[in-house]
Amino acid sequence: MQTHQYDVVIIGAGGAGMRAALESSKRTRTAVISKLYPTRSHTGAAQGGMCAALANVEEDNWEWHTFDTVKGGDYLVDQDAAEVMAKEAIDAVLDLEKMGLPFNRTPEGKIDQRRFGGHTRNHGEAAVRRSCYAADRTGHMILQTLYQQCVKHDVEFFNEFYVLDVLLSDDLTGGEVPDGAEVKVSGVVAYELATGEIHLFRAKSVIIATGGAGKIFKTSSNAHTLTGDGMALAFRRGIPLEDLEFFQFHPTGLAGLGILLSEAARGEGAILRNGDGERFMERYAPSIKDLAPRDIVARAMANEVRDGRGAGPEKDYILLDLTHLEKAHIDAKLPDITDFARTYLGIEPYTEPIPVYPTAHYAMGGIPTTITSQVLRNNTDTVGGLYAAGECACVSVHGSNRLGTNSLLDINVFGKRAGVAAAEYAIGADWVDLPDDPEVGVVAELEEMRTRPTGERVADVRRELQQTMDTNAQVFRTDASLRQALADVHALQVRYATVSVQDKSKAFNTDLLEALELGFLLDVAEVVVVGALNRQESRGGHFREDFPLRDDAGYMKHTMAYRRPLGQVAPAAVSTATSAGPTAAGATAAGPTATGSDPVESVGGPGASAPGTFDVVLGYKPVVVTRYEPMERKY
Amino acid sequence: MATTATTDAPETSGAFGAVPSFDVTLRIRRFTPELTGAEAYWEEFTVTAYGTDRLLDALHKVKWDLDGSVTFRRSCAHGVCGSDAMRINGKNRLACKSLLKDLNPDKPITIEPIKGLPVIKDLVVDMDPFFASFREIMPFLITTGNEPTKERLQSSAQRERFDDTTKCILCAACTTSCPVFWTDGQYFGPAAIVNAHRFIFDSRDEGAAQRLEILNDKEGVWRCRTTFNCTEACPRGIEVTKAIAEVKRAMITRAF
């Protein structure tokens, strides 16, 4: 084992991680640990743009942007956080331009802006041009630009290192640490892919910036590597996950493949049509039509297909029609996504509409943080030195549905905030003692999994997980479908305990890493489903057919999901939780005893999913409301 | 050794109608020093594939259903992250952008690691020398004086001047297709020059002279023999050879 010592360790080298690194490394000794080379991160797949009220092409201001974000999130957004994001958006875009990002330009040479879903003028009057963009590869340009700046400033990277444990001063999973007690981070344990060696990083501050978890679903726009690692690591150490039941299904994935076609297509004038050629969004969102927020469009599309108005031989997809747009306009503004349609479906978008269908895209929820990116371990207490930013975090600026472009904004605004805060904390903080033998749990789990001669195949368990999540926990959900999903996830967790890999070697063992990632997926999926089962209302990206209306009296509050020992009711701070409700029922219905397996003993480390040892316990956190009282959401 | 797998359903099935299936054989160049010693060897796998499958889907079937030890990098699976550049039937391609139906599945598809970088395991190469060359050309905006209060102005025409080279995803398909790079690992290679081009022709940048000085080195831009392999290999459609020629011309004329 090798040991390292840095003031700040950042986990993840996507947009949030690198934006944090630029701030932190100029203030103090910083290392970035990434399971991929930084330029492979999925920030690079983002297409459409980054909204900021620059008002370069028409009147706009940050207050309108705040309102759109709050309304788009169906009023589950913390309004103080949304205001911070919308205000700081302007400098975030200008920062990137000064770093060299090649934005498209207006005739005056300023940053050009275009329309995007849910972004409106004067509180919903009409679509506004707010999205700053670089063709349809804005995320690629952000990722490249941030990496270029990291090269310039000599940021230190540990590439292809997997963080497998986040070390805290206290074990929170027992539920015995009182509210108000001081809990601090002391470092991370990482696995070097090239050699199989374990590395211990001691740190005063740790920033989790590991991105999303879209691979819990089968049809997804996400990279294979988006397996919820950071969320699951925090959760396993007893830190709650907030609002994870809210998952965004992006309306326009390539049908059958899930590959993303940006909302920028509709921002540039493309139209969604059903099998009858009808522009059906006129019925669902009369004022902004195809540019309604994603949850509304995705549901409308699924609804059209369900009612027999889909397109294609099986009537099972919707058409994205660009054929009325000028070829030159398409080439200039949407070159990459039209190339995707040609490459993967053999469709020529100049002349043929593109088959599309909703695809799992973005986790609105994640590790709860304050507006300075500090990780919360309950509704009020932060963990000293621990920060999170980007998709793995929940500030919450996206509430129950994220507006398009607000993710690229989130990573820049809160990545920067995390980097500044983590560095400043580290400069003033003392070293925290590491636990004894901090690597033991990780090493034991890795070795056991690597050397287990036979057992379940990783791919089989993962396929079944993704299938049940697509079938039972996607755009439309019911009590019955979610109970089925929970039972399936629990059964798969039991099977996961005996998973075996074929590659027994130490060097570059991606077989072994996929197995570990599957453990993260199972943990995250369980939290998604338990939260969805408990939330008996429909809001944003979470739609319950058995509870089709939003219920502000019952559920205008954030879900906080904790890993706690079996049988524990709820953390003290959240004693109002309905733990006797569907959650407990779900847990008993599908507990490991029902499948006939013995409970699995915890190895004392982060452990894999541990059926029979822990339960998901739910609490609630109030939504921060500053300016905007909840209203009915109409577009 | 040959192994066969069939799965019940295509990985990429779902909403998009019924797709005909066919068998395809992958002939993979393997290198597993920890298990089989220092000699690389070939191994064949046959899997069932579908019309819309990419080569990456077939590789996943091999890894997930037949032999978990077959090792390759991948992430986004749609041609934007640059992880899975490999030598496919002798040509550098991204596995996730190569459709099986375009690769003539009647014959075994040969898959090798990209050439010119040290192989670590199977299709995985050491990318550090590649990124080291990238870093050497100062791939970041260089400016002098105070920053403006708002954005720097740039006309659409000025922006268009370097648009092509901003598409680079650093997958190394170009550099590892270059015969000069194969014989001389010191050569900067096409990808580094593409990224230098991206800044040399950016109207906001003031570091062109420094970059041209670096590329005027004996391992610099003059090593290019204009074989066009790089342009042919680029999965992003960048006119790499043209970009290199523009850098050469800028070096002579000092006009950029």
Side-chain angles (χ1 to χ4, degrees):
Chain A
M1 185 179 73
Q2 293 188 36
T3 58
H4 312 263
Q5 186 162 308
Y6 290 88
D7 285 344
V8 179
V9 161
I10 299 168
I11 315 169
M18 288 204 283
R19 190 68 190 81
L22 290 174
E23 297 301 326
S24 176
S25 63
K26 71 183 175 200
R27 290 173 171 82
T28 191
R29 192 174 142 79
T30 301
V32 183
I33 306 176
S34 174
K35 74 175 183 178
L36 303 171
Y37 275 91
T39 57
R40 313 297 181 222
S41 304
H42 211 56
T43 295
Q47 298 165 357
M50 172 166 164
C51 273
L54 299 183
N56 276 359
V57 291
E58 61 179 305
E59 187 188 359
D60 198 7
N61 65 66
W62 62 259
E63 191 273 322
W64 294 354
H65 187 181
T66 309
F67 172 78
D68 288 339
T69 300
V70 170
K71 181 181 174 189
D74 219 349
Y75 295 91
L76 200 70
V77 173
D78 284 331
Q79 298 182 9
D80 56 341
E83 185 168 323
V84 162
M85 185 171 77
K87 275 183 184 165
E88 295 183 10
I90 294 162
D91 277 341
V93 167
L94 295 177
D95 280 354
L96 287 169
E97 197 285 329
K98 287 168 191 173
M99 290 177 194
L101 197 143
F103 285 106
N104 279 46
R105 300 288 171 159
T106 66
E108 303 79 44
K110 295 195 281 189
I111 296 169
D112 197 12
Q113 300 188 270
R114 67 177 164 204
R115 296 186 183 95
F116 233 83
H119 290 278
T120 69
R121 167 159 48 85
N122 195 20
H123 312 101
E125 274 181 12
V128 74
R129 283 180 281 177
R130 185 180 289 149
S131 169
C132 310
Y133 66 100
D136 56 355
R137 49 177 186 277
T138 315
H140 163 78
M141 293 304 192
I142 289 175
L143 190 71
Q144 295 292 327
T145 301
L146 292 174
Y147 184 60
Q148 291 158 5
Q149 291 297 305
C150 286
V151 168
K152 181 178 180 184
H153 296 289
D154 220 8
V155 171
E156 189 171 358
F157 287 101
F158 290 83
N159 294 326
E160 296 183 331
F161 277 55
Y162 283 62
V163 170
L164 296 179
D165 198 5
V166 175
L167 304 169
L168 303 181
S169 59
D170 300 81
D171 178 15
L172 297 172
T173 54
E176 285 147 5
V177 179
D179 290 351
E182 193 169 62
V183 177
K184 291 180 176 177
V185 71
S186 60
V188 303
V189 180
Y191 173 89
E192 183 181 1
L193 185 57
T195 60
E197 198 174 2
I198 296 290
H199 293 250
L200 177 62
F201 289 82
R202 193 177 187 197
K204 293 178 182 173
S205 295
V206 172
I207 303 174
I208 305 174
T210 52
K215 282 291 157 179
I216 59 174
F217 294 99
K218 179 177 165 189
T219 306
S220 171
S221 66
N222 282 202
H224 287 287
T225 44
L226 285 173
T227 47
D229 307 11
M231 296 177 191
L233 290 174
F235 183 66
R236 288 172 183 186
R237 282 301 181 191
I239 290 164
L241 294 177
E242 179 176 349
D243 289 342
L244 220 54
E245 64 269 31
F246 296 104
F247 214 95
Q248 178 164 85
F249 299 91
H250 192 293
T252 52
L254 280 184
L257 297 171
I259 294 171
L260 182 67
L261 295 188
S262 173
E263 197 168 301
R266 283 170 284 140
E268 297 290 354
I271 291 168
L272 289 167
R273 297 187 189 282
N274 63 20
D276 305 330
E278 183 204 5
R279 186 181 191 180
F280 59 91
M281 281 312 299
E282 287 177 331
R283 278 187 276 120
Y284 295 88
S287 71
I288 57 175
K289 304 182 180 79
D290 301 274
L291 285 174
R294 290 174 179 172
D295 58 328
I296 293 172
V297 180
R299 227 164 11 247
M301 291 168 66
N303 208 47
E304 290 299 298
V305 167
R306 213 160 54 160
D307 289 353
R309 291 190 295 274
E314 310 289 325
K315 291 183 180 294
D316 57 357
Y317 54 77
I318 294 294
L319 295 168
L320 180 67
D321 187 359
L322 285 72
T323 57
H324 54 290
L325 302 179
E326 291 289 330
K327 283 182 188 179
H329 185 69
I330 293 175
D331 290 345
K333 301 294 178 70
L334 306 165
D336 281 10
I337 62 166
T338 44
D339 183 49
F340 294 153
R342 290 181 193 117
T343 303
Y344 297 112
L345 292 184
I347 295 280
E348 177 44 68
Y350 294 151
T351 52
E352 296 168 87
I354 308 167
V356 291
Y357 201 71
T359 180
H361 185 56
Y362 188 87
M364 268 70 74
I367 303 164
T369 72
T370 66
I371 55 172
T372 43
S373 302
Q374 296 166 280
V375 170
L376 288 160
R377 69 177 180 87
N378 54 36
N379 287 5
T380 48
D381 294 324
T382 57
V383 177
L386 188 60
Y387 301 82
E391 189 174 345
C392 70
C394 181
V395 185
S396 151
V397 284
H398 307 308
S400 60
N401 172 60
R402 175 174 70 72
L403 289 190
T405 77
N406 273 354
S407 58
L408 290 179
L409 184 54
D410 179 6
I411 60 176
N412 277 285
V413 167
F414 292 100
K416 180 177 181 177
R417 282 177 160 250
V420 172
E424 286 176 353
Y425 173 88
I427 290 166
D430 294 324
W431 290 98
V432 177
D433 287 337
L434 288 167
D436 294 337
D437 304 321
E439 79 287 6
V440 166
V442 167
V443 171
E445 188 189 357
L446 280 169
E447 276 311 288
E448 197 188 330
M449 199 173 278
R450 190 174 67 88
T451 54
R452 188 178 293 136
T454 55
E456 286 281 351
R457 261 181 194 279
V458 171
D460 292 343
V461 175
R462 186 176 47 214
R463 253 180 222 130
E464 288 181 42
L465 170 70
Q466 292 169 338
Q467 187 61 60
T468 188
M469 291 299 286
D470 263 26
T471 307
N472 296 309
Q474 218 209 25
V475 176
F476 295 118
R477 299 165 169 178
T478 66
D479 184 78
S481 77
L482 291 165
R483 277 178 200 282
Q484 183 61 51
L486 189 62
D488 290 344
V489 170
H490 283 154
L492 291 168
Q493 285 174 335
V494 172
R495 287 170 57 187
Y496 178 72
T498 63
V499 92
S500 158
V501 300
Q502 285 176 292
D503 192 343
K504 304 296 183 192
S505 60
K506 293 246 184 197
F508 229 99
N509 191 336
T510 53
D511 202 18
L512 181 60
L513 267 305
E514 282 191 36
L516 288 165
E517 289 173 333
L518 174 59
F520 299 143
L521 289 174
L522 286 164
D523 281 359
V524 170
E526 183 183 14
V527 176
V528 169
V529 174
V530 168
L533 197 46
N534 179 64
R535 188 173 282 274
Q536 297 180 338
E537 66 158 351
S538 291
R539 183 187 296 269
H542 169 69
F543 190 80
R544 286 282 300 261
E545 296 191 80
D546 40 357
F547 300 95
L549 300 177
R550 195 174 82 191
D551 173 9
D552 285 343
Y555 290 99
M556 197 175 125
K557 50 195 179 185
H558 299 292
T559 302
M560 298 282 273
Y562 298 79
R563 165 171 282 193
R564 291 293 180 264
L566 271 186
Q568 195 172 73
V569 178
V574 287
S575 50
T576 52
T578 56
S579 58
T583 323
T588 23
T593 42
T595 66
S597 304
D598 292 328
V600 179
E601 206 172 294
S602 168
V603 289
S609 305
T613 309
F614 294 109
D615 204 352
V616 179
V617 175
L618 299 184
Y620 295 109
K621 185 159 75 90
V623 175
V624 179
V625 176
T626 56
R627 296 164 183 259
Y628 310 108
E629 283 305 316
M631 297 185 302
E632 192 193 348
R633 199 158 153 255
K634 276 194 202 155
Y635 286 94
Chain B
M1 190 180 102
T3 330
T4 306
T6 42
T7 46
D8 300 339
E11 266 316 300
T12 52
S13 80
F16 194 45
V19 197
S21 70
F22 52 90
D23 282 356
V24 60
T25 298
L26 308 186
R27 187 162 185 266
I28 301 175
R29 187 70 172 166
R30 302 208 57 188
F31 177 63
T32 49
E34 208 178 316
L35 302 174
T36 57
E39 287 292 310
Y41 57 100
W42 293 98
E43 189 167 7
E44 291 193 1
F45 300 91
T46 300
V47 296
T48 302
Y50 297 83
T52 58
D53 276 1
R54 299 150 260 185
L55 179 63
L56 180 62
D57 296 313
L59 280 169
H60 272 146
K61 273 177 197 158
V62 171
K63 184 173 184 67
W64 292 343
D65 299 330
L66 298 178
D67 184 348
S69 74
V70 172
T71 303
F72 50 91
R73 290 190 179 100
R74 89 287 186 259
S75 186
C76 79
H78 64 285
V80 297
C81 82
S83 296
D84 62 350
M86 46 190 80
R87 205 167 147 80
I88 300 162
N89 285 345
K91 291 178 176 168
N92 281 5
R93 294 283 182 269
L94 298 181
C96 64
K97 268 199 108 170
S98 304
L99 267 67
L100 289 172
K101 64 180 174 58
D102 300 334
L103 288 170
N104 185 15
D106 298 340
K107 287 193 279 186
I109 297 168
T110 62
I111 305 165
E112 302 161 82
I114 46 178
K115 277 175 77 172
L117 292 167
V119 180
I120 296 173
K121 183 176 176 180
D122 292 348
L123 303 172
V124 174
V125 300
D126 180 2
M127 294 291 287
D128 283 348
F130 173 80
F131 279 102
S133 291
F134 168 74
R135 283 195 298 271
E136 273 187 65
I137 54 91
M138 301 197 292
F140 40 80
L141 192 74
I142 296 173
T143 57
T144 55
N146 284 335
E147 288 186 334
T149 306
K150 295 189 81 183
E151 68 263 52
R152 290 190 171 81
L153 298 182
Q154 182 169 57
S155 72
S156 293
Q158 287 170 329
R159 163 71 179 73
E160 184 60 27
R161 181 67 190 86
F162 65 102
D163 182 69
D164 200 37
T165 45
T166 65
K167 295 175 191 163
C168 176
I169 55 175
L170 297 169
C171 68
C174 61
T175 294
T176 60
S177 73
C178 173
V180 179
F181 180 77
W182 294 339
T183 54
D184 176 7
Q186 300 294 309
Y187 172 46
F188 279 95
I193 301 170
V194 160
N195 281 279
H197 178 283
R198 178 251 171 275
F199 288 102
I200 289 168
F201 293 96
D202 186 334
S203 59
R204 301 168 296 174
D205 184 82
E206 297 169 49
Q210 288 164 270
R211 289 194 195 87
L212 290 173
E213 196 57 43
I214 293 165
L215 290 173
N216 203 16
D217 183 88
K218 69 179 170 56
E219 301 296 350
V221 73
W222 303 112
R223 300 295 313 263
C224 167
R225 289 287 175 270
T226 330
T227 49
F228 282 90
N229 280 16
C230 50
T231 300
E232 210 268 326
C234 179
R236 302 284 293 147
I238 301 171
E239 294 181 89
V240 182
T241 316
K242 183 179 167 206
I244 296 173
E246 288 176 356
V247 172
K248 285 177 178 171
R249 199 174 314 127
M251 216 170 273
I252 296 163
T253 62
R254 294 279 150 174
F256 35 80

